[in-house]
Each structure stands twice: as C-alpha cells, then as structure tokens.
Amino acid sequence: METSYLRPFCETGDIRYPLNEIRYRSDDGRILEVANPFEKFSTDTVARLKGLFDKRSGSWKPVDRSGVWRYREFLPAFEPFDAIVTMPEGNTPIYKMPRCAEYTGMNSLKAKHLGCNPTGSFKDYGMSAAITMAKKLGITIVACASTGNTSASMAAYAARAGMKSIVFIPEGQIAYGKLSQALDYGALTIQIEGDFDKAMEIVEEVCKQRNLYLLNSINPFRIEGQKTIMIEMLHQLNWEVPDWIIAPGGNLGNSSAFGKAFAEMVLTGFIDKVPRVAIIQAEGANPLYNSFINKDHTLHPVNADTRASAIKIGNPVSFEKSWFTIEYTSGLVEQVSEEEIAKAKSRIGIDGIGSEPASATTVAGCKKLVEKGAIKPSDSVICILTGHLLKDPDYTVELHRDELYLDVTRETKVRGKKKIVTDGFRNSPVQVPADVDTILEFIKKNVC
Ligand code: F0G
C-alpha cells in the first residue's frame, strides 16, 4: 500500500516530499500538508473500526485512552506508532449549555470544551502528534511562537519526550498562567518586542538558520493531530453529524484541521455528510472575515487588536487551508466585537463551564448568526471552546469588575481609554467588614 507523504497544500501535480524531510514550505513558499493514501473502507471495516474505537475508549492503555491515538487508523503518517508521546490528551467533554442557548436564541446549544486537556487547550491534540513525529525524526530542540497556549503545550510535551524547547512570546501580551507553564516545564522563554505575527516571523527564520524543529501549526503534523478533535467529537455523538460547528479563528490551524478531518472521514466512508463550519474572528483581527466578505481568496494582513489574546493574529499561517474548510463544508466566516465577546463569555461562565475569551467568540458568533438567520434555532450546533478559563484570568476579573479595556496591558496596569462596555451581566466581588453578624445580614439580603 502507498504510504503518507508531504506535499504543498492543494498540490495536484508531482511535488512531494518524504515524511522525514524537515521542511514546512515548498520551494515556492506554499505551506505543506500530509497526504494520506486513504480509500473508501468497506461497510464491514467501518463497523469494525467504530467498534474498536468504542473498545479503546474503555481501555487504560495511554495510547488507547488518548483522544488522538485512539483514532490512529486516521494517522497513518505516524506508523508504526512506536514513538508515541501522550499525556494522554483529548477525551474532552461535550456539555449542554442551556443558558447560552437562551442567550443565543437557540433551542439547545452544546460545547465541546477543549480546555479540559492536560495543558488547558486544544493544542495538546496537535502537539502530541507533532512531538511524536519529532521523536521519530530524532529531534532534540523544538521551538514555537505563541500567545500562550502553544508554548505551554509544546513545553510540556517536549519535557515528556526529553527534548529542549524554546518559546517566543510577545512581550507583555501573554497571561501569567501560560507563562508560568512554559517556565515550569523548562522552556527557554524569549520575550520579544512586537506581537504574535512578529514572533512567528522571527521563529520561522530562527528555526531555518539553526535547524530547530518548528511546532506552530505551520507544522503539518500538528494539523494531523488536531483532525482527531472532530473524529473524537463525532464518536461522542455516536457518529451523528451536527448541522454546525462553530470555532474561533486565529492562526487558522484548527479550522484547517477540521476540514481535513471531514474530508478524510467522507472519503473513507465514516460519514456521508459534513457539518457546516462557522469560523469566528474578532473584529480587530479579522483577515479571514475580510477575505470571505470580499469573496477574494487573498490574504490582506491586518494589525491585530483584541483582548482575546489567543486570536490576536493578523497574518494567519493557515489562511489557504481554512478556505478549503469553508468551501468543503459550505461554511462561513463571521466577526464579533469586543463587547459581544465579553457578553458571551459571561454567559458561558454561568453555564458553569468557563473559557478564555477567544472561545467566547463561538457563542457570540452563534448569537449573531441566529439573528442573521444563517443558523436556525432548531439546528444542532456545537461550539468549540478552545481554551481553559484560566488562560486569561485578568480578563475575567476585569470583566466582572467592569474594568475591561481594549488597550490595557497586564504589565503596566495602565488603564486604557477604550472601555469595553458590557450589559451589566457581571458578578463583581464585594467588600464586607470582617464581622460575622454583618456578613450574615449581607448574605440574607443578597442571596437568601
Ligand atoms: N483559541 C485558543 C484558546 C488559542 O490558544 C488559539 C491559538 C486559538 C483559539 C486560535 O486557533 O490558530 O488554530 O485558529 N493560540 C496560539 C497560541 C496562537 O500561541 O497559543 P487557530
């Protein structure tokens, strides 16, 4: 049987590279993808594999417990699976969100919470795969640019695999929780002046010159791992395909991986229809939205500005790949304001789930798309919450204290001028004198 190989994205000609060639772009600068030699499985094979996935879900073997490697038949590039690095990631829950459903005007609404991963974000699905490939290739030093989650994930998986890691982060723009993870897991942490896009540009060049292994989502093996987010989700849904998936869009690796997953699942006969994918960007970091609205496939980078730090990206690496997802799934792109993100985030919170602000674009986007009539209230919709509440805790506290500004930085604590005005749906902390009777009286008045 033919094996997997690398090729420039959407290459129809003969250009191909072996899996063990360390490169991220073709000679003419296109990003690469893993081409898998899938064919349509027989009905029996599909049934057997579905049974096997069920069985592995009940196993304690890390390779079976992992929400990535449980589905290894969809990851032939990593065969013979003798170098797997797993924590084990995945197994992230799908929650009902009744309050968010009411807020968005949906009959019901669900969220798959990828923040429930070992390092707190969806990156662990992709990182398990890419670090596994790094191990197969004998890599000793890995690197990435990050707004927080990639660095935490890469540092952890590199540590597990006994590799050194270097992270490039935008100075003053990374949340302490994430910085503390990278430091704790032993990554050399380089703060650079400039934003994520600058850090990305620098890390690509540094990796080229020093032969370091780059682990941003430009690395095609990250995308292979992130495919399993959708495979796991459909498994959890007993292979019933929802009408819509809503995901935040930053560097656009995740949305790219989702389209690839659906295409391969259709090709192999696992599913016969695909959900529509809605990608939501922040208004201040919206190059994909602009391209979608203008119906041109051209990337016009923007100077990104949003408090949703995870998607503060103006020059996304996987722009073309995410266009494939939009077209393949008859998807769409929407943008949401800072106010809409903040309001949606507070609703996710009262569903008892919590997320960082980029994830809240999904609920905000859902509300907007229902209002526009693109999503029907009776549609089945899954919002993909990509990161844990504890990524940007400053944001959450500022939101509840009504002190949320677009132009504030944690380091300087300088309050900005552009206030993000929400709708009073807040839960500010209160100060009460340290006296039992006064406190009891206060609780009686305010709670019961
Ligand atoms: N949500 C979260 C929580 C993220 O951390 C990121 C990206 C995204 C969404 C955007 O996903 O790039 O696949 O469109 N975080 C990167 C990082 C930039 O460095 O952690 P995408």
Side-chain angles (χ1 to χ4, degrees), residues 4-20:
S4 303
Y5 57 90
L6 295 172
R7 69 176 169 210
F9 180 61
C10 272
E11 168 71 18
T12 47
D14 294 333
I15 306 177
R16 48 164 84 188
Y17 311 103
L19 294 175
N20 61 1

Side-chain angles (χ1 to χ4, degrees), residues 122-123 146-150 249-254 310-311 313 356 386-387:
F122 74 88
K123 308 286 178 180
S146 181
T147 59
N149 280 325
T150 307
N251 220 9
L252 302 175
N254 232 6
I311 50 170
I313 297 171
E356 52 67 64
T386 43

Side-chain angles (χ1 to χ4, degrees), residues 326-345:
I326 297 164
E327 290 182 331
Y328 182 74
T329 71
S330 307
L332 52 79
V333 187
E334 186 53 88
Q335 65 173 3
V336 288
S337 68
E338 295 299 304
E339 286 76 15
E340 288 167 320
I341 296 172
K343 286 182 203 169
K345 192 177 138 39

Side-chain angles (χ1 to χ4, degrees), residues 22-89:
I22 298 175
R23 61 152 71 219
Y24 316 97
R25 292 184 189 272
S26 56
D27 293 338
D28 58 3
R30 286 177 288 164
I31 59 171
L32 304 180
E33 66 174 348
V34 174
N36 291 314
F38 287 131
E39 286 168 3
K40 194 162 172 53
F41 297 149
S42 68
T43 318
D44 282 355
T45 305
V46 170
R48 184 182 60 75
L49 283 175
K50 285 181 178 173
L52 189 60
F53 296 160
D54 283 345
K55 205 166 137 217
R56 286 178 185 161
S57 302
S59 154
W60 287 109
K61 270 168 69 182
V63 59
D64 291 340
R65 272 224 81 62
S66 162
V68 173
W69 303 105
R70 178 180 305 135
Y71 308 105
R72 50 194 177 269
E73 283 73 11
F74 281 96
L75 302 171
F78 303 84
E79 275 172 11
F81 307 116
D82 53 357
I84 287 176
V85 183
T86 178
M87 301 212 38
E89 50 294 315

Side-chain angles (χ1 to χ4, degrees), residues 293-315:
I293 290 299
N294 297 329
K295 296 190 171 55
D296 67 352
H297 281 221
T298 320
L299 170 59
H300 300 289
V302 301
N303 279 326
D305 198 9
T306 170
R307 282 298 303 276
S309 64
I311 50 170
K312 191 176 173 191
I313 297 171
N315 190 12

Side-chain angles (χ1 to χ4, degrees), residues 93 95-100 111 113 116 344-355 385 388-389 425:
Y95 296 123
K96 283 187 183 154
M97 297 199 291
R99 293 174 189 97
C100 287
H113 200 346
C116 302
K345 192 177 138 39
S346 57
R347 269 46 179 218
I348 298 171
I350 55 155
D351 261 326
I353 298 171
S355 72
L385 306 181
H388 199 279
L389 171 86
F425 199 86

